[in-house]
Amino acid sequence: MLPKSALHARRFDALDQGSFIVEKILLETIPGYYLAGNLYLPKNTGSTKKIPAVLVPHGHWKNGRVHDASDYSVPALCANLAAQGYAAFAYDMVGYNDTRQTSHTFGKSEQEEQWGFSPLGLQLWNSIRSLDFLESLDVVDAKRIAVTGASGGATQSLLLAAVDERLQAAIPVCMVSATFQGDCTCEEAPGLRLGTNNMEIAALMAPKPMLLLSSKKDWTKRTPEEEYPAIQSIYRLYGNPDAVSSIQIDSGHNYNRKSREEAYRFLFNVLKPDIPFSAARESVQAKFKPEDLLIGALPADLHPLSQDEVFASWREMSRQRVKALSDQDARRLLASTVGATWPRRVEAIQAGQMVLLERAGSGERVPARWAPGRTSEAALVIDPGGSEAARRSRPVSQFLARGASLLTVDVYQTGSAMTPGISCGRTCLTFQRSDDANRVSDILTALSYLNSTRPTRITMSCNGKAGSWCVVAAAVTPAGVPLSVDLLDPEIAALNDQPGPLFIPGLERAGGMQQVLRLIRLNHQLRIESAD
């Protein structure tokens, strides 16, 4: 999590609409970066009684938070919520309406991916800070705050609900699906769905109330039969299966009046506004000119950062945050970033001249060659060319001469594990690890197998660019493993904001190679030498 700075919230241009008031809002969610929105409030909030609140992130409709059409209307939703006694805060996606210091589609360069700088991350941060804003309002009851959005706004809703426990309820609309989980950069950050999906992410709301609003005519058409029962099964584990509900609308992709009125009834039961149940319906016609809601040019006394400057600020805040982590948390962050863990158990399956090392229960298999030795020392040799290339390298003869057991492996896309056309590249990083992260995982599998043979020492010798894979694996290897790492001509210099010897999204945000080397030296031996 980034450090939280002062929001310096600005509220201005209040517009009286009879039963409610709408204001223009600017929040400084990162120093020099401004999020715009509109705060809708009931007309009479002068009493000491606090009111519930709703966050409203918008989807990819053309006009963002001011979009007003029969199938989707943020102003109609928020105006009616305010008329019913809620505070409603609608805020921009990045690159929409007044929030244009970055585009909506950045985050695709290798440098940005290494730093975890993406529209999804920035929007999620904006949602967290928007919740901070609502919570800070004297009129709002911080224990009665919900979030709802449709389509891309539902993605933001379920992500916020997954990471911020302050929310008491969520209504993701027309998004929770097993077959489609978003197609925009702001919904598909690298690493988001490694071994998981939107159903499981949505289920992180359990056991708090959640309404799944779906459509019969988009990718949520099977929600009542598939996604809803799957999520309810998680709620059942908490003993609260009735806290999640499902309602489907016979309409296209939408947050239309019928859907909104289902949301009003759900929110009434959960947040208990000071109104009769009969008032939980659409009664206000919200008609605004764009200038009524949009800010336009930022105030002259503000000095907004450019997109490059926002990125630079993101990097610096990330560096400072990593420095403040404990060693244990730094290692956890690195392991979760790589998406590779120490195996619970590794089974060796004989396959002709090779041995397949299988992570129990995962189906992941690493081709290997194993030569038992006469001493209690074990060696793992990793080469970018695979097992055969490793066996021709200088260290192998040295290990065999002193009687060490020897393991060489074909890590992902090397040697016999080379399969053309299956590399993840840059197009599937939301759902799969990068090629280098897969190689790190395979090395951890090999190390775990060696450790199970109970050696007094494990020496991992890594050639060329394989050194970068090895050091990341060693950094997350448990402290009790007697590991020594020998690197020959390693390309492991710090990335220094530039693409480095390996590609693992988020690695720089986890501390980069400097952090990797520091974590190794805490628990294991590290020797770097020239191959000459």
Side-chain angles (χ1 to χ4, degrees), residues 427-472:
T427 60
C428 57
L429 294 172
T430 299
F431 300 94
Q432 298 183 37
R433 294 180 297 226
S434 70
D435 292 355
D436 286 333
N438 278 322
R439 290 163 183 141
V440 171
S441 181
D442 286 351
I443 292 170
L444 287 173
T445 299
L447 284 172
S448 179
Y449 174 73
L450 274 185
N451 192 56
S452 70
T453 67
R454 301 187 181 279
T456 55
R457 181 176 66 172
I458 298 174
T459 301
M460 179 165 59
S461 180
C462 307
N463 304 324
K465 66 180 182 181
S468 59
W469 314 332
C470 290
V471 292
V472 176

Side-chain angles (χ1 to χ4, degrees), residues 203-261:
L204 287 170
M205 189 64 183
K208 295 178 181 178
M210 180 167 63
L211 169 61
L212 300 171
L213 269 174
S214 59
S215 164
K216 288 186 176 181
K217 299 177 181 178
D218 69 5
W219 52 85
T220 59
K221 61 186 178 182
R222 296 190 61 80
T223 295
E225 295 80 29
E226 295 187 0
E227 291 84 359
Y228 166 60
I231 293 171
Q232 190 178 46
S233 72
I234 304 302
Y235 274 75
R236 190 169 290 111
L237 296 176
Y238 288 86
N240 201 15
D242 295 334
V244 60
S245 53
S246 170
I247 295 175
Q248 189 165 73
I249 304 300
D250 188 6
S251 182
H253 195 58
N254 77 91
Y255 206 162
N256 60 22
R257 177 171 179 167
K258 193 170 183 180
S259 293
R260 295 194 297 268
E261 290 193 328

Side-chain angles (χ1 to χ4, degrees), residues 207-427:
K208 295 178 181 178
M210 180 167 63
L211 169 61
L212 300 171
L213 269 174
S214 59
S215 164
K216 288 186 176 181
K217 299 177 181 178
D218 69 5
W219 52 85
T220 59
K221 61 186 178 182
R222 296 190 61 80
T223 295
E225 295 80 29
E226 295 187 0
E227 291 84 359
Y228 166 60
I231 293 171
Q232 190 178 46
S233 72
I234 304 302
Y235 274 75
R236 190 169 290 111
L237 296 176
Y238 288 86
N240 201 15
D242 295 334
V244 60
S245 53
S246 170
I247 295 175
Q248 189 165 73
I249 304 300
D250 188 6
S251 182
H253 195 58
N254 77 91
Y255 206 162
N256 60 22
R257 177 171 179 167
K258 193 170 183 180
S259 293
R260 295 194 297 268
E261 290 193 328
E262 296 291 353
Y264 303 146
R265 287 188 279 271
F266 172 83
L267 291 171
F268 176 90
N269 290 323
V270 172
L271 300 185
K272 303 188 184 307
D274 191 18
I275 59 169
F277 180 75
S278 60
R281 58 184 177 80
E282 195 128 303
S283 60
V284 172
Q285 295 295 315
K287 294 301 178 184
F288 298 98
K289 299 175 184 177
E291 57 267 27
D292 292 338
L293 301 176
L294 296 176
I295 295 171
L298 294 179
D301 62 320
L302 299 182
H303 303 285
L305 302 177
S306 67
Q307 180 166 309
D308 288 344
E309 290 170 331
V310 174
F311 185 23
S313 180
W314 180 277
R315 296 196 301 270
E316 183 54 33
M317 287 188 294
S318 298
R319 290 189 191 99
Q320 295 305 317
R321 210 55 167 172
V322 166
K323 287 180 181 178
L325 292 176
S326 68
D327 294 336
Q328 184 180 39
D329 284 343
R331 185 171 285 106
R332 286 173 176 166
L333 174 60
L334 179 64
S336 64
T337 297
V338 176
T341 57
W342 187 257
R344 294 193 306 269
R345 187 174 79 257
V346 175
E347 299 173 354
I349 303 169
Q350 197 68 39
Q353 299 291 319
M354 303 287 287
V355 172
L356 297 178
L357 304 180
E358 180 177 83
R359 283 180 172 242
S362 74
E364 292 185 19
R365 292 179 172 182
V366 185
R369 293 187 180 275
W370 169 242
R374 62 180 185 275
T375 70
S376 60
E377 180 186 3
L380 172 63
V381 182
I382 306 293
D383 191 278
S387 179
E388 287 301 316
R391 286 180 171 269
R392 294 192 297 270
S393 65
R394 185 186 70 186
V396 166
S397 58
Q398 298 171 344
F399 290 129
L400 294 176
R402 59 181 190 245
S405 297
L406 178 67
L407 182 67
T408 58
V409 297
D410 292 322
V411 300
Y412 186 75
Q413 289 292 73
T414 70
S416 66
M418 180 72 74
T419 305
I422 69 166
S423 292
C424 182
R426 307 293 286 282
T427 60

